């Protein structure tokens, strides 16, 4: 099955052949925590990336804390919630998509936040609403000519996904929310069923003006891949 997200112009899926049920009642495989953590990180990065790209989040910002610094993950989440509620109010009150990811500072003890939104927001307004330290705002512009909003959002999503991936190796925020997004903006995902990678990719072109993917990854290209065969695709 290939699960495509038309709004984000990408998809991913895996292929598991039907197997005869084991009648021997074996104990099954031994859990591998490291592999499970890597797989959880991969899924989370994909979900965050699709959300960012589908909603055109091409404005990237960072919120830092002035003394007294924040070292509590729960407080960071509370402060982020307050920030986005107030920012939305200052911008007119209409619902707006956003995504944010916390990250430990280089000193390893205090937090700062990275976030993305889909519209221009004055840096002075962001600083006023945050009110807890220094802020930085920038529009993503290091993209190829013609990449447009989609390309910009993919770069912003890549930044956030990088910080999100780092959090899965940090035990200090284990079992906590590693990122958050505005509710009500989750993109539609459509399952495409088929008998092979080529089959599902060909069927998926119907959702993208008949075009084939501009980028395709196959797990057969990976040196160490222990999960079922998988593919990932993107359209420009």
């Amino acid at each position: 099955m290939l699960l495509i997200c038309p709004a984000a112009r990408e998809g991913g899926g895996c292929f598991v052949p039907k197997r005869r049920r084991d009648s021997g009642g074996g104990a099954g495989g031994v859990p591998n925590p490291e592999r499970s953590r890597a797989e959880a990180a991969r899924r989370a990065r994909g979900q965050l990336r699709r959300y960012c790209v589908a909603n055109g989040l091409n404005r990237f910002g960072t919120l830092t804390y002035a003394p007294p610094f924040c070292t509590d993950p729960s407080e960071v989440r509370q402060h982020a919630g307050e920030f986005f509620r107030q920012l939305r109010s200052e911008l007119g009150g209409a619902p707006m998509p956003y995504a944010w990811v916390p990250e430990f500072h280089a000193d390893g003890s205090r937090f700062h936040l990275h976030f993305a939104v889909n519209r221009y927001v004055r840096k002075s307004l962001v600083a006023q609403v945050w009110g807890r330290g220094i802020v930085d705002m920038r529009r993503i512009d290091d993209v190829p000519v013609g990449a447009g909003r989609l390309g910009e959002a993919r770069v912003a999503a890549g930044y956030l996904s990088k910080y999100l991936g780092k959090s899965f190796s940090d035990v200090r925020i284990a079992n906590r929310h590693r990122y958050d997004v505005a509710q009500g903006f989750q993109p539609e995902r459509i399952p495409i069923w088929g008998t092979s990678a080529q089959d599902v990719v060909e069927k998926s072109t119907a959702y993208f003006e008949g075009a084939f993917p501009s980028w395709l990854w196959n797990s057969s290209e990976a040196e160490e891949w222990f999960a079922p065969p998988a593919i990932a695709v993107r359209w420009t």
Side-chain angles (χ1 to χ4, degrees), residues 33-125:
E34 184 176 347
R35 189 179 302 168
S36 297
R37 186 164 53 248
E39 177 62 18
R42 185 189 66 79
R43 289 196 302 269
R45 288 196 302 268
Q47 291 168 357
L48 177 59
R49 184 184 65 251
R50 286 187 292 271
Y51 180 94
C52 290
V53 177
N55 289 291
L57 306 189
N58 63 343
R59 305 277 180 167
F60 185 78
T62 299
L63 309 175
T64 61
Y65 284 91
F69 305 114
C70 182
T71 59
D72 185 342
S74 298
E75 282 192 3
V76 172
R77 183 173 176 78
Q78 176 185 338
H79 295 162
E82 294 171 353
F83 168 76
F84 284 108
R85 283 193 295 272
Q86 182 62 27
L87 182 64
R88 184 178 65 186
S89 176
E90 293 289 340
L91 293 174
M96 57 180 282
Y98 62 78
W100 67 270
V101 177
E103 184 191 22
F104 273 106
H105 193 69
D107 63 9
S109 61
R110 49 193 168 113
F111 280 102
H112 54 269
L113 286 75
H114 303 286
F115 72 96
V117 292
N118 69 344
R119 57 180 293 181
Y120 168 74
V121 183
R122 297 192 325 274
K123 182 177 179 180
S124 59
L125 177 59

Side-chain angles (χ1 to χ4, degrees), residues 18-232:
K18 293 182 179 179
R19 297 173 180 170
R20 188 175 302 170
R21 180 173 295 179
D22 181 11
S23 59
V30 177
N32 185 321
E34 184 176 347
R35 189 179 302 168
S36 297
R37 186 164 53 248
E39 177 62 18
R42 185 189 66 79
R43 289 196 302 269
R45 288 196 302 268
Q47 291 168 357
L48 177 59
R49 184 184 65 251
R50 286 187 292 271
Y51 180 94
C52 290
V53 177
N55 289 291
L57 306 189
N58 63 343
R59 305 277 180 167
F60 185 78
T62 299
L63 309 175
T64 61
Y65 284 91
F69 305 114
C70 182
T71 59
D72 185 342
S74 298
E75 282 192 3
V76 172
R77 183 173 176 78
Q78 176 185 338
H79 295 162
E82 294 171 353
F83 168 76
F84 284 108
R85 283 193 295 272
Q86 182 62 27
L87 182 64
R88 184 178 65 186
S89 176
E90 293 289 340
L91 293 174
M96 57 180 282
Y98 62 78
W100 67 270
V101 177
E103 184 191 22
F104 273 106
H105 193 69
D107 63 9
S109 61
R110 49 193 168 113
F111 280 102
H112 54 269
L113 286 75
H114 303 286
F115 72 96
V117 292
N118 69 344
R119 57 180 293 181
Y120 168 74
V121 183
R122 297 192 325 274
K123 182 177 179 180
S124 59
L125 177 59
V126 174
Q128 172 191 324
V129 173
W130 176 237
R132 300 179 187 277
I134 300 173
V135 306
D136 180 57
M137 284 295 299
R138 64 187 65 180
R139 176 174 179 171
I140 302 299
D141 56 10
D142 52 340
V143 296
V145 175
R149 191 182 189 90
L150 180 73
E152 294 170 352
R154 279 181 172 159
V155 173
Y159 289 151
L160 290 181
S161 295
K162 179 184 71 173
Y163 299 126
L164 174 61
K166 290 169 59 177
S167 73
F168 276 85
S169 60
D170 199 320
V171 297
R172 291 170 294 184
I173 51 179
N175 301 319
R176 296 178 182 270
H177 287 280
R178 291 182 167 87
Y179 76 97
D180 205 356
V181 299
Q183 300 303 305
F185 296 92
Q186 289 293 347
E188 178 187 21
R189 301 175 70 188
I190 302 171
I192 306 294
W193 298 90
T195 57
S196 67
Q198 181 178 354
D199 186 23
V200 292
V201 169
E202 289 180 352
K203 291 178 178 177
S204 68
T205 62
Y207 294 88
F208 300 97
E209 304 84 39
F212 277 80
S214 56
W215 175 86
L216 188 150
W217 173 87
N218 195 308
S219 60
S220 62
E221 303 168 1
E223 292 185 3
E224 294 186 6
W225 184 262
F226 305 101
I231 65 168

